[in-house]
Amino acid sequence: MNRLCTLTAPKGRPREFDLDDALAGALRVFWRNGYEGASMAELTAEMKITKPSLYAAFGNKEALFHKALDLYEREKLAYMTYALDAPTARAVAENLLRGALQMQMSTCDPKGCLSVISSVACSAEAEPIKAEVAKRRASSEAALMKRFDEAKAAGEFPEGLESHALMRYLFAIMQGLSIQAGSGASCTELQQLVETSMLMWPTK
């Protein structure tokens, strides 16, 4: 549900804007440019608010990024949660890859992966951002490895294949898909990547 934020503008009437719309605008900027590449001027322009209103409603740039990352995970990466409920490791992998493919094929959002883009930030100021992205990635990896442990215990894995290795293999494919999408790969090329990955998938 959309929320309106009313802030008192100095020497003027209260300024109203929609918090959800503003946050969605911030997400687009961070997604296109990464954390370091997102300027306050571009953020406020996309969010359609002033800099004082941004600080009053969301805090500083780092706090705004955290909120944008929450939105990204909640809306854009929702398929990852559903994928873990699939009945086999193979179905989990296919759901994750097709969910990632669908997101990259969307004409409404920037291409690439927000977490990958922001994890390459290199300034000292961005270290907390890198740490937060790494923490969230580790949580996703742990959830997938737990699911693969269950599949291995059910006898789905060939001898010698370990859950942590398969988890890293799948995440590498997903990250590669997002990087290629961000580099201009066509929908057909991305679809071929998913189809080829599933042909080579090692579990039942």
Side-chain angles (χ1 to χ4, degrees):
M1 178 180 296
N2 290 344
R3 297 168 295 158
L4 288 178
C5 180
T6 303
L7 300 173
T8 302
K11 298 182 181 180
R13 63 184 182 181
R15 182 184 296 109
E16 288 190 348
F17 61 90
D18 186 281
L19 280 171
D20 294 335
D21 288 346
L23 186 56
L27 173 57
R28 288 191 294 272
V29 175
F30 284 128
W31 199 345
R32 284 196 304 264
N33 303 336
Y35 177 75
E36 288 187 307
S39 69
M40 291 301 292
E42 188 173 359
L43 284 166
T44 53
E46 187 79 22
M47 297 169 74
K48 297 180 174 59
I49 61 176
T50 64
K51 187 181 293 187
S53 295
L54 185 155
Y55 286 125
F58 298 101
N60 60 17
K61 181 181 176 183
E62 182 178 337
L64 176 63
F65 179 81
H66 282 259
K67 292 181 175 66
L69 195 54
D70 288 339
L71 177 63
Y72 177 76
E73 291 183 340
R74 186 168 62 249
E75 291 190 354
K76 309 305 180 182
L77 301 184
Y79 68 88
M80 297 187 72
T81 300
Y82 303 135
L84 295 178
D85 294 330
T88 64
R90 181 181 183 85
V92 168
E94 185 166 10
N95 287 351
L96 284 173
L97 288 173
R98 295 200 183 283
L101 175 64
Q102 184 176 10
M103 184 176 74
Q104 296 300 337
M105 291 173 65
S106 169
T107 58
C108 303
D109 297 315
K111 305 303 179 185
C113 174
L114 175 60
S115 297
V116 172
I117 294 169
S118 297
S119 66
V120 297
C122 55
S123 72
E125 178 190 2
E127 283 302 317
I129 295 300
K130 292 175 66 176
E132 177 64 18
V133 169
K135 183 180 75 173
R136 296 189 188 215
R137 182 174 63 245
S139 176
S140 297
E141 290 176 349
L144 182 57
M145 192 160 70
K146 180 177 180 294
R147 180 64 187 85
F148 282 170
D149 282 340
E150 295 170 357
K152 181 177 175 64
E156 296 179 29
F157 284 23
E159 186 175 353
L161 180 60
E162 298 299 330
S163 300
H164 66 88
L166 190 61
M167 175 273 293
R168 294 194 181 282
Y169 171 68
L170 180 55
F171 267 101
I173 296 173
M174 294 174 65
Q175 289 173 348
L177 188 152
S178 67
I179 290 171
Q180 290 193 32
S183 299
S186 68
C187 292
T188 298
E189 290 170 333
L190 297 177
Q191 287 175 321
Q192 289 174 340
L193 174 60
V194 171
E195 298 300 335
T196 302
S197 299
M198 292 314 303
L199 284 173
M200 300 174 63
W201 187 254
T203 70
K204 297 178 182 179

